[in-house]
Amino acid sequence: MSIMEEEELEFSDDLEAILHLSPEVQLAIEQVFPSQDPLDRADFNAVEYINTLFPTEQALEEAQKAIQQLFGKIKDIKDKAEKSEQMVKEITRDIKQLDHAKRHLTTSITTLNHLHMLAGGVDSLEAMTRRRQYGEVANLLQGVVNVLEHFQKYMGIPQIRQLSERVKAAQSELGAQILADFEESFPSQGSKKPGGPSNVLRDACLVANVLDPRIKQEIIKKFIRQHLSEYLVLFQENQDVAWLDKIDRRYAWIKRQLVDYEEKYGRMFPGEWFMTERIAVEFCHITRTELAKLMRTRAREIEVKLLLFAIQRTTNFEGLLAKRFSGCTLNDGVTKKADSPLDSTNPFFEDEQGEDSPKKPKAPDNPFHGIVSKCFEPHLYVYIESQDKNLGELIDRFVADFRAQGPPKAGSEEGGAVLPSCADLFVYYKKCMVQCSQLSTGEPMIALTTIFQKYLREYAWKILSGNLPKTTSSSGGGLTISSLLKEKEGSEVAKFTVEELCLVCSILSTAEYCLATTQQLEEKLKEKVDKTLAERINLTGEMDTFSTVISNSIQLLVQDLDSACDPALTAMSKMPWQSVEHVGDQSPYVTSIIMHIKQNVPVIRDNLASTRKYFTQFCIKFTNSFIPKFINHLFRCKPISMVGAEQLLLDTHSLKTVLLDLPSIGSQVVRKAPASYTKIVVKGMTRAEMILKVVMAPHEPPVVFVDNYIKLLADGNPETFQKILDMKALKRSEQSSMLELFRQRLPTPPSGADGGSSLSFSTPTPEQESSRIRKLEKLIKKRL
């Protein structure tokens, strides 16, 4: 067997191995695709099948001969197909030649027609130009130009190039001739009066539309210059009518001229030239230049009323231009932002509308804004200086009015309300801001902002902080106020009257209004000013000033109530607690404290009804001040008997109850106190109760007493423990042993601790919280 036969047998075996299917699969295939073909049988043997077909070598040779015959027939068919294709090509070749000839002939005929049209059109164009038949020229010239475009690729042909040069020459001649005609009818110089409207010139304008754009621009330029020549003569710099006080005459003159133009020349120029608008725009440019030059020369004569009069008349004129013209002839229009929603209680929010209310249509932008009035911008320092003076007088008037009217009367509607002068100030601010933004959105707005900042601070100092009631001792020019009230046994310290409490609340409410409104003022200023200058507007310092007034007002209210309670606390610390024989009702000093609270807190709450969050701050600050002071006075109550400690515990519980009810005390509407406030009261007064419970506990055995103290108070400070021992009136020897035992029983501080005597607890004591708050307030005031 040859090598080839061996490879075929190996391939057959491999193929059999690959195509071997399981009996189940084979049966399923036979059911789906039944076939009698031996090739589809599962036991098909290729060798046997070939031997069946070709049992002898002779049979094999016959098959090869049949194949050769088949190839011969296929070749014959292919040859006949090639001959057929060649025949088709020969048949269609003549048809293609005819198609090319037809297309070339059509192109030639079209080109000849165009050439005929071009030649005839050029002749007619030259003849019509000489006869000034501009109406016919306008229609013919555009057609000639369009036809000439078809010959751009034939410019190498001398005849075509000549025709093109004749067209260019005709266009040039037309341009020069039309300009000469306009110059003759509307001379720019000389005494000859301008001519009237002309059909020839009207048709000439149509021709200019087809010529070089420079021709049209030159016609427009010369006509407008001639039309405004009278204006330059009438309003020369040396004429009395040229000054700002007669600026209305300038705008009256141009209005008459525009009406005259529409009547005489409105139909002479094409509508798409917008000649009326162009005349108005050129008038504005000339006016701006002339006014700027005039104001530089006579700058000393400009005063604010005259300046504002001229600006108002000018901006009114610019508004009329916007109503009459679209501004399509301008390069750039001035876009102004629409005001954002405003608030009803704030001059910067008075136009606010709800979501369901109908929206006001946005005012269209004025593309002519500033086209003339921009010339006034270099002189706006006069306006800024005037506003500086006016605001200074306004602040002085506020001060005088406040002194004349005095503080708000108790029980009046003014008590705790925002001072009217505050609203007046911001209304004036808005007026100035809007007015200035109409004049300029550049540097003058920055200068005006500086003026605003100056008088916001003056209002805070002179009207608000300067009118806060003075305590026994004050310092810091009204911005940093401290009270050092001396304790006098058996006497009441000076405290604020109800009118003074109303005044403090009114100043606090006003400061809050100023704070919120100043923030909105800053936002509005940033909207009005140029975007490149917006970063230079910052009223944070002024807002901080009003925040300081608010903080000082709250502190004054706290100090007043806190100081009113001092005599009672002093009386508590000097009572003979060791000789108390039985526990009765609450002590007189508790009644005195509750009386002061019931006198002050309802007044403060009612007058801060519109600023509830600051009333809550007042309650929190008072509690943070009163509770540590109460505990300090509690330590001074020594020695204390068991009955005395019980009486103090009862008093402490009474005060705790009153303090928990402090935000709604004396109110018909009982509100639940804020959780943050309740937490402070419970924590602080619970500590006072724990101190008394430790005092009441027997000191024998010492270990139990010390462990009980550490558990109840969680205070590792030996000084506090020493105060407890003093309250119990223990002997010095007993105190020494107790202190030593106390140090021994303290928990071991965690690794890395500083080794101090205080334990490390998760939350600070009320005294520590109060100390931290006072330190933070001092730090903030120092930085401000």
Side-chain angles (χ1 to χ4, degrees):
M1 184 179 292
S2 65
I3 297 175
M4 184 177 294
E5 291 176 345
E6 292 178 357
E7 291 177 351
E8 289 178 354
L9 288 175
E10 290 177 0
F11 176 76
S12 177
D13 294 340
D14 294 340
L15 188 61
E16 255 182 48
I18 294 172
L19 297 178
H20 180 70
L21 302 174
S22 64
E24 294 81 2
V25 176
Q26 186 64 41
L27 180 61
I29 293 175
E30 290 177 358
Q31 292 176 352
V32 176
F33 302 106
S35 175
Q36 300 298 325
D37 194 332
L39 294 173
D40 294 332
R41 295 178 58 185
D43 57 351
F44 173 74
N45 189 307
V47 176
E48 291 180 359
Y49 182 73
I50 292 174
N51 289 334
T52 302
L53 293 177
F54 307 104
T56 63
E57 292 183 0
Q58 183 179 1
L60 187 59
E61 290 176 355
E62 290 177 356
Q64 290 178 348
K65 289 180 181 179
I67 292 172
Q68 289 177 356
Q69 290 175 0
L70 179 62
F71 273 110
K73 292 180 179 180
I74 292 173
K75 186 175 182 303
D76 290 342
I77 294 173
K78 182 180 178 183
D79 292 340
K80 291 180 180 180
E82 291 177 352
K83 290 180 181 179
S84 299
E85 182 180 2
Q86 184 64 29
M87 187 181 298
V88 170
K89 287 182 179 180
E90 291 176 358
I91 293 173
T92 58
R93 182 175 58 224
D94 296 338
I95 296 175
K96 288 182 179 180
Q97 288 178 351
L98 290 174
D99 286 342
H100 287 305
K102 178 182 178 183
R103 184 163 58 253
H104 292 159
L105 182 60
T106 302
T107 302
S108 300
I109 293 173
T110 302
T111 302
L112 287 174
N113 285 334
H114 285 164
L115 181 61
H116 177 71
M117 290 169 59
L118 180 62
V122 171
D123 292 339
S124 299
L125 182 63
E126 292 173 341
M128 292 175 182
T129 300
R130 288 191 296 271
R131 293 194 297 269
R132 283 181 166 77
Q133 296 175 332
Y134 294 133
E136 292 81 356
V137 169
N139 296 324
L140 178 61
L141 180 59
Q142 185 62 58
V144 169
V145 172
N146 293 338
V147 171
L148 188 60
E149 291 178 356
H150 294 283
F151 291 94
Q152 291 300 318
K153 55 185 176 181
Y154 304 116
M155 286 300 169
I157 302 174
Q159 290 81 358
I160 301 297
R161 187 168 59 251
Q162 283 181 349
L163 287 174
S164 175
E165 291 173 354
R166 287 175 63 189
V167 171
K168 291 180 180 179
Q171 288 177 318
S172 178
E173 182 180 353
L174 275 170
Q177 186 171 298
I178 290 173
L179 289 176
D181 291 344
F182 269 94
E183 177 65 27
E184 182 180 357
S185 298
F186 303 98
S188 56
Q189 295 179 353
S191 59
K192 182 180 178 181
K193 294 183 179 180
S198 166
N199 292 333
V200 174
L201 295 181
R202 182 188 60 190
D203 294 339
C205 292
L206 299 177
V207 176
N209 273 337
V210 187
L211 298 175
D212 190 319
R214 289 177 294 182
I215 302 299
K216 169 186 169 183
Q217 294 170 3
E218 186 66 22
I219 292 173
I220 293 173
K221 180 180 177 181
K222 286 187 175 182
F223 180 82
I224 293 177
R225 184 169 59 236
Q226 191 279 332
H227 214 67
L228 295 177
S229 59
E230 179 185 353
Y231 174 68
L232 293 173
V233 174
L234 292 176
F235 294 90
Q236 287 183 19
E237 184 177 350
N238 58 356
Q239 297 296 321
D240 180 65
V241 74
W243 188 229
L244 300 180
D245 59 343
K246 297 180 178 59
I247 198 169
D248 278 340
R249 298 189 182 183
R250 293 177 180 267
Y251 306 131
W253 183 89
I254 189 60
K255 291 176 187 176
R256 292 193 302 270
Q257 290 299 313
L258 293 179
V259 172
D260 180 69
Y261 165 81
E262 290 287 351
E263 292 176 354
K264 291 183 179 179
Y265 308 104
R267 297 182 180 180
M268 191 174 78
F269 294 98
E272 64 270 19
W273 285 22
F274 302 104
M275 285 298 293
T276 311
E277 180 176 324
R278 291 182 186 276
I279 294 172
V281 169
E282 183 61 23
F283 165 82
C284 292
H285 293 324
I286 294 173
T287 302
R288 185 180 68 242
T289 302
E290 293 298 317
L291 286 176
K293 182 168 55 176
L294 186 62
M295 286 189 290
R296 283 196 301 269
T297 305
R298 303 173 63 176
R300 294 184 178 180
E301 301 177 40
I302 300 175
E303 51 93 23
V304 67
K305 289 184 179 180
L306 178 62
L307 181 65
L308 292 179
F309 167 79
I311 292 175
Q312 181 185 10
R313 294 296 189 270
T314 302
T315 53
N316 290 344
F317 174 70
E318 292 171 348
L320 290 176
L321 293 180
K323 294 179 181 179
R324 174 64 177 81
F325 305 115
S326 65
C328 59
T329 62
L330 301 173
N331 291 329
D332 297 308
V334 179
T335 302
K336 294 176 64 179
K337 291 185 177 179
D339 290 342
S340 60
L342 307 174
D343 180 63
S344 59
T345 61
N346 187 312
F348 304 103
F349 294 89
E350 62 189 14
D351 299 327
E352 183 177 4
Q353 296 177 336
E355 294 182 358
D356 299 331
S357 60
K359 300 284 181 86
K360 292 182 180 179
K362 180 180 177 181
D365 296 333
N366 181 358
F368 297 94
H369 176 66
I371 191 171
V372 178
S373 58
K374 194 173 182 64
C375 67
F376 299 109
E377 186 167 324
H379 305 276
L380 287 180
Y381 66 89
V382 176
Y383 171 79
I384 301 300
E385 291 174 356
S386 172
Q387 297 308 322
D388 189 359
K389 179 182 177 183
N390 292 343
L391 282 168
E393 294 174 351
L394 189 64
I395 294 294
D396 292 340
R397 179 167 63 82
F398 290 160
V399 173
D401 291 346
F402 191 92
R403 290 175 180 173
Q405 297 171 4
K409 301 297 184 292
S412 66
E413 295 181 356
E414 291 80 10
V418 175
L419 297 177
S421 60
C422 177
D424 293 344
L425 177 67
F426 282 103
V427 167
Y428 189 84
Y429 270 13
K430 179 184 178 183
K431 175 184 175 182
C432 294
M433 179 186 67
V434 172
Q435 192 175 49
C436 187
S437 65
Q438 292 173 347
L439 308 181
S440 171
T441 57
E443 288 293 337
M445 284 290 288
I446 301 297
L448 184 66
T449 301
T450 303
I451 300 299
F452 284 176
Q453 291 174 299
K454 172 183 175 182
Y455 289 102
L456 284 173
R457 292 191 297 268
E458 285 208 11
Y459 188 86
W461 293 332
K462 294 183 178 180
I463 308 299
L464 302 182
S465 183
N467 286 303
L468 284 172
K470 300 300 186 291
T471 57
T472 303
S473 175
S474 62
S475 61
L479 286 178
T480 304
I481 302 176
S482 61
S483 178
L484 301 174
L485 297 174
K486 298 180 180 179
E487 299 175 352
K488 296 182 180 180
E489 184 177 359
S491 65
E492 294 289 336
V493 296
K495 62 188 294 291
F496 291 154
T497 63
V498 176
E499 287 77 11
E500 289 174 325
L501 289 176
C502 293
L503 173 60
V504 175
C505 293
S506 181
I507 289 175
L508 191 155
S509 300
T510 304
E512 184 204 22
Y513 175 89
C514 291
L515 176 62
T517 313
T518 300
Q519 182 179 0
Q520 300 302 329
L521 172 63
E522 180 184 85
E523 295 175 0
K524 287 298 175 185
L525 286 169
K526 287 183 177 181
E527 288 181 9
K528 297 292 185 182
V529 78
D530 291 340
K531 292 182 179 180
T532 56
L533 302 176
E535 293 182 357
R536 293 173 58 184
I537 293 179
N538 187 344
L539 304 183
T540 303
E542 288 65 41
M543 287 185 272
D544 290 343
T545 299
F546 290 118
S547 297
T548 302
V549 174
I550 293 173
S551 178
N552 289 337
S553 299
I554 295 174
Q555 191 61 35
L556 267 182
L557 297 173
V558 170
Q559 287 178 353
D560 178 62
L561 181 56
D562 196 37
S563 301
C565 297
D566 281 347
L569 293 177
T570 301
M572 177 192 78
S573 63
K574 294 186 177 182
M575 286 179 65
W577 294 105
Q578 192 175 21
S579 59
V580 175
E581 297 179 355
H582 61 275
V583 178
D585 295 333
Q586 64 186 27
S587 302
Y589 75 88
V590 176
T591 304
S592 176
I593 292 173
I594 295 174
M595 179 191 68
H596 288 305
I597 290 175
K598 289 185 175 180
Q599 286 178 349
N600 282 37
V601 173
V603 175
I604 296 171
R605 183 184 57 245
D606 293 344
N607 282 277
L608 294 182
S610 61
T611 57
R612 188 76 186 178
K613 62 180 179 179
Y614 293 120
F615 174 69
T616 302
Q617 286 187 23
F618 158 77
C619 294
I620 292 175
K621 285 191 175 185
F622 171 73
T623 305
N624 278 325
S625 174
F626 175 80
I627 293 178
K629 185 181 290 188
F630 173 73
I631 291 176
N632 288 334
H633 281 77
L634 202 61
F635 283 132
R636 300 179 189 177
C637 297
K638 54 186 179 182
I640 302 177
S641 64
M642 179 67 70
V643 179
E646 290 178 357
Q647 180 65 48
L648 276 172
L649 188 61
L650 180 113
D651 294 342
T652 301
H653 181 73
S654 298
L655 288 174
K656 180 179 179 181
T657 303
V658 172
L659 291 177
L660 287 173
D661 190 44
L662 182 70
S664 60
I665 194 169
S667 174
Q668 296 180 354
V669 180
V670 179
R671 294 184 179 179
K672 186 177 179 180
S676 58
Y677 170 78
T678 302
K679 183 178 178 181
I680 293 172
V681 174
V682 171
K683 185 176 182 180
M685 296 306 289
T686 300
R687 176 174 171 79
E689 292 173 341
M690 291 302 103
I691 290 173
L692 292 171
K693 288 181 180 181
V694 170
V695 172
M696 293 167 59
H699 60 278
E700 296 289 347
V703 173
V704 176
F705 177 77
V706 171
D707 289 346
N708 192 39
Y709 169 85
I710 294 174
K711 179 181 179 181
L712 291 177
L713 289 183
D715 190 342
N717 191 340
E719 294 181 1
T720 305
F721 186 67
Q722 178 71 59
K723 293 177 180 178
I724 297 291
L725 298 180
D726 290 340
M727 294 173 72
K728 292 179 69 67
L730 295 181
K731 297 179 181 179
R732 287 298 176 185
S733 57
E734 291 178 314
Q735 291 187 15
S736 298
S737 60
M738 282 283 191
L739 282 171
E740 184 61 29
L741 182 61
F742 171 74
R743 293 187 178 94
Q744 294 174 2
R745 303 294 292 178
L746 285 176
T748 304
S751 59
D754 57 5
S757 60
S758 297
L759 296 177
S760 176
F761 301 107
S762 59
T763 56
T765 64
E767 295 94 329
Q768 292 171 331
E769 288 182 347
S770 178
S771 177
R772 289 179 181 178
I773 292 173
R774 287 196 296 270
K775 288 180 180 179
L776 180 60
E777 290 177 346
K778 289 180 180 179
L779 180 61
I780 292 174
K781 291 178 181 179
K782 182 177 180 182
R783 290 185 177 178
L784 289 175

